[in-house]
Every structure is written in structure tokens, then in C-alpha cells.
Amino acid sequence: MTDAADPAPRSDRPTPAGRNYRLLTAAAIITGLGTHGALIAAAFAVLQAGGDGGDVGLVAAARTAPLVLFLLIGGAIADRLPRHRVMVAANALNFASQGVFAWLVLAGDPQLWQMMLLTALCGTGQAFFNPAAEGMLMSSVSGEQASRAFALFRMSMQGAAIGGAALGGAMIAAMDPGWVLAVDAAAFAVAGLLRAFLDVSHIPSREPGGGLLADLRDGWQEFIGRPWLWAVVAQFSVVVAAVGAAEAVYGPLVARDELGGARPWGFALAAFGVGTLAGALLMMRWKPRRLLLAGTLCVFPLALPSAGLAVPLPVAGLCAVMFVSGAAIEVFGVSWMTAMHQEIPEEKLSRVSAYDWFGSVAMVPLATALAGPVESLVGRSQALWGCAGLVVLVTGAVLFVPDVRNLTRRTASTEVLVKVPPASADTEGAVGRLG
């Protein structure tokens, strides 16, 4: 590594990680179960109110837009204030917005503008929550077993996502989608209560700074001064956009026209989820020495689903490539979190995380908006091959950055303080994202 700012290994900073880690992971599972069901419920609530596919897209965009707008500000605030307070405040906003959304749906006549506004408030809460949560998680583990802790956390998150989507779908089939939104609101309340008990006494007090803009500039300098960091974030701004367009727009269309309907696409998405669990389980045991090299090589398989849809592969083949891509992204995700934890100073974690999140989501609305016109211009198959080609192209390009190839895992003699149980142990109660 050639970075000038080379922080001491995080293992030199003792933390009450066991308790914090359990609280963070438990809260993440609870909100994951609620949120992934609520995303389905919101779409059905729009349709139940008489909306069409375009209205569903508007409500979805209303969630994404404030996430993009406020992420950087959220990161700066999370490094300025105690992170757990930012997380609790964000959860309170999510609780209120989802609670009102649920009430309107159950009352029977929600208006499109109301649903967009409440969804936008939920997205705003996530913009402030995500950088604070990532910084809090990374400051709560230390030592050589940090990557194993991240793998377990991500495995728990992916399991909650799969379970939440399944539970939400079952509840919507049996009752009004408003009840699913109400469950999500309650999940935010419980998770916020858990996060209020996080211990931040191990985190050094923040030095008085020059204001929010100065904090943003400081975070930018930290971000741009590390070639491995900005190169991978730039890579993922393209990768996430291409994969998002392929799987959110083209995937359902291919399933409808070529594979026999929505059910095969549901199987493919489920296979991706199972793959993420397998990848996280692998990373609980595997510790690649060259973190980013191993992680980046595992981004290439993310081109496979787009290529599989372009052919298109039969359902079994599509499920296979989705499983492989799910496992691969977890290898990258754990490697990336470990690199961030190892290399970024604790007091700047949330700001740098905000630039990471921003790069990952900024191009998604544009990509999904252009997916339709591109399909009309060149055809669906060609558009999907283009998505696959972009993933391969930018991933190959980032390997030319020396720090991406050469950043190595540090070792430390001190014992990690977060007590992660063996992979075969019962992890219940011990308690993620593309890129």
C-alpha cells in the first residue's frame, strides 16, 4: 500500500464489541424482516389504490431520490454526532412514516402523493442511517477475526431479507398490505430501542471541526486520497447500475415472455439469496490474503445473470448462475468491509462509507429509467449483453490499479474482542448490500 495515512490496526482500539455486535445484528435482522416484506407491500398498496406500473415506479423512485440526495450529509453528521443517536433518530423517522403509510392504506383511500411523500421520508431516514450503521458496525469489531464477524453479520442480513420477502408475500396473500407496513413500522420501533442501548464509550470524542462543509471536504479528501477506494466505488457505480437494470427491468420481462411467468423469476431470485448465504458462510472460514484482489475477481460472475437472461437460459440454468453470482458478491462484500475496517480511521468511517454508498446507488435511477429506451433502440437481448459487458469491462479495468491488486490483510497478535461463534454453532440471538 502507498497510502500516506496508514492507521494502526483496529485491534489496538479495545471495544466492548461483543455486546454492541449482538445488538447491531439483532436490530438489523428485525428491520430486515420488516423492510423486505414492506417493499412488496408498498407496491401492492399502490396497485390496490388503483395505480398502475408507472405509479409503482414513482413510489419506488421516491424512496431512492432522497437516499441519493442526503447520503453524504448523513455520513458527515454520523461522524460528528454519536452514531447510535443518528441511528435511533433515523429509526424513529422510519417508524413514523411507515406507521402513517400503514394507517392510510388500512383506512382505504391513500393518494399517490401521500404514498410518495411517506416513502421519501423513509428513504431520507435510510440516508442518515446507513453511514452511521456501517461506521458503528466497523468500530465494534477488532482483530484478525473481523472479517468473520462481517461475514456472520451479512449472512444474518441475507437470511432476514429472504425470510422477510417470504413472510411479506404470505401476509399480503392473507390480509391487507397495510398490515405488512404496520409490522415494518413496529420493527423499526423495536430496532431503534435496541440501538439506543449501544455503548459508544470506546469511541473517542470528536474534535470540534469547521462545520458540516468542512467535514464533507475532509471525507472527500480521505476518499479521493486512496486509489483502491475511489477506483472500486467508481467500478461499482457502473456494476450496480448495470445489474440493477438487468434484474429489476429486463429480468421480469424475460420471465414473462420466455420462461412462463413470474414464478420462474421468483425461483431465480431465491437462488441468488441462497447463494449469498453460501458466500457468507464461505467467508466465515476463508481469509484471502489479498483482500481486494480476491473480492474484485469475484465481481466478474455478476455478469452471468445478464448473460443468462440474454440467451435466455432455461430456469435451472438461470437459477444456477444467480446462485453463483449471489455467492460471489458476498465474497466481495466481506472483503470490502474488511478492507474499509482495516484502512479507514475510525473517526472518518461514516463519511467514507457515505461516499461508498453514494457511488453505489447514484446511477441506479438513471440506469433503470434508460432501460426501456435502450431496449427499444437495440433490442432486449443486446441490452442485456451490454449490461454483462459493462460489468466485465469496469471490473477488468479496476485490476489495473496497483493498490487493488496489492492491498493485503493485516495480522495482529491481539485477540478479537467480538465473540463470533463457530460456523457450526447455533447463532440465534448472536446477532448488508451489494458492494
Side-chain angles (χ1 to χ4, degrees):
M1 281 295 301
T2 58
D3 295 328
D6 197 17
R10 202 63 48 86
S11 57
D12 292 341
R13 305 169 188 173
T15 66
R19 179 174 177 273
N20 277 0
Y21 181 81
R22 289 191 292 271
L23 286 171
L24 287 166
T25 314
I29 288 176
I30 291 169
T31 52
L33 286 169
T35 298
H36 286 83
L39 291 173
I40 302 171
F44 277 90
V46 174
L47 297 173
Q48 181 176 281
D52 55 18
D55 294 331
V56 173
L58 287 174
V59 172
R63 178 186 293 270
T64 306
L67 185 62
V68 174
L69 287 174
F70 295 115
L71 262 173
L72 299 182
I73 296 174
I77 288 177
D79 276 340
R80 177 175 286 266
L81 301 176
R83 292 189 182 115
H84 70 311
R85 293 184 183 176
V86 178
M87 296 165 71
V88 171
N91 285 165
L93 177 59
N94 291 144
F95 161 71
S97 60
Q98 289 296 78
V100 174
F101 196 172
W103 177 75
L104 288 173
V105 173
L106 292 171
D109 190 28
Q111 302 298 307
L112 179 62
W113 70 267
Q114 294 172 325
M115 293 186 283
M116 290 180 64
L117 174 61
L118 292 167
T119 304
L121 289 175
C122 196
T124 301
Q126 288 304 112
F128 285 86
F129 175 85
N130 288 346
E134 193 152 316
M136 192 72 206
L137 176 65
M138 290 186 183
S139 70
S140 295
V141 299
S142 58
E144 297 178 41
Q145 296 298 314
S147 63
R148 195 159 176 261
F150 296 144
L152 178 60
F153 181 86
R154 289 177 66 94
M155 185 167 64
S156 302
M157 287 287 293
Q158 298 296 351
I162 296 170
L167 180 62
M171 289 181 66
I172 291 169
M175 60 186 70
D176 193 288
W179 290 111
V180 182
L181 295 168
V183 169
D184 187 39
F188 278 118
V190 173
L193 182 63
L194 289 175
R195 288 161 176 147
F197 289 99
L198 289 168
D199 184 354
V200 296
S201 62
H202 64 287
I203 299 176
S205 300
R206 313 297 181 200
E207 294 294 332
L212 187 62
L213 289 178
D215 284 350
L216 287 171
R217 286 194 299 270
D218 193 29
W220 172 252
Q221 292 301 320
E222 188 72 31
F223 173 79
I224 203 67
R226 299 174 183 271
W228 62 269
L229 181 59
W230 60 256
V232 173
V233 170
Q235 169 204 10
F236 263 79
S237 68
V238 177
V239 169
V240 174
V243 171
E247 297 186 2
V249 180
Y250 299 138
L253 295 175
V254 172
R256 182 194 65 187
D257 297 340
E258 307 286 347
L259 302 177
R263 188 170 181 174
W265 184 236
F267 287 147
L269 293 177
F272 178 85
V274 174
T276 62
L277 293 177
L281 186 60
L282 169 65
M283 293 305 289
M284 289 184 67
R285 298 186 176 276
W286 184 40
K287 297 179 182 179
R289 181 172 176 271
R290 296 196 179 188
L291 287 166
L292 292 184
L293 178 60
T296 300
L297 290 175
C298 285
V299 179
F300 284 108
L302 297 187
L304 293 176
S306 297
L309 289 167
V311 173
L313 292 175
V315 176
L318 186 59
C319 287
V321 298
M322 290 289 280
F323 176 87
V324 170
S325 65
I329 194 56
E330 284 305 298
V331 174
F332 170 83
V334 174
S335 299
W336 179 248
M337 290 182 73
T338 305
M340 292 270 285
H341 171 266
Q342 174 179 289
E343 300 295 325
I344 306 301
E346 190 281 330
E347 67 275 8
K348 299 179 181 180
L349 276 171
S350 290
R351 275 169 286 177
V352 173
S353 175
Y355 281 104
D356 176 22
W357 276 94
F358 181 83
S360 295
V361 303
M363 290 182 64
V364 172
L366 178 62
T368 53
L370 290 177
V374 170
E375 179 187 11
S376 299
L377 183 64
V378 302
R380 187 185 302 161
S381 180
Q382 287 76 13
L384 282 162
W385 282 118
C387 291
L390 281 173
V391 172
V392 172
L393 180 65
V394 298
T395 303
V398 84
L399 289 174
F400 285 95
V401 178
D403 286 351
V404 172
R405 299 194 307 272
N406 298 329
L407 190 147
T408 57
R409 179 188 303 272
R410 293 179 187 166
T411 59
S413 58
T414 54
E415 188 80 18
V416 64
L417 296 179
V418 57
K419 303 301 183 185
V420 183
S424 59
D426 179 10
T427 59
E428 182 178 355
V431 137
R433 166 190 76 101
L434 181 64

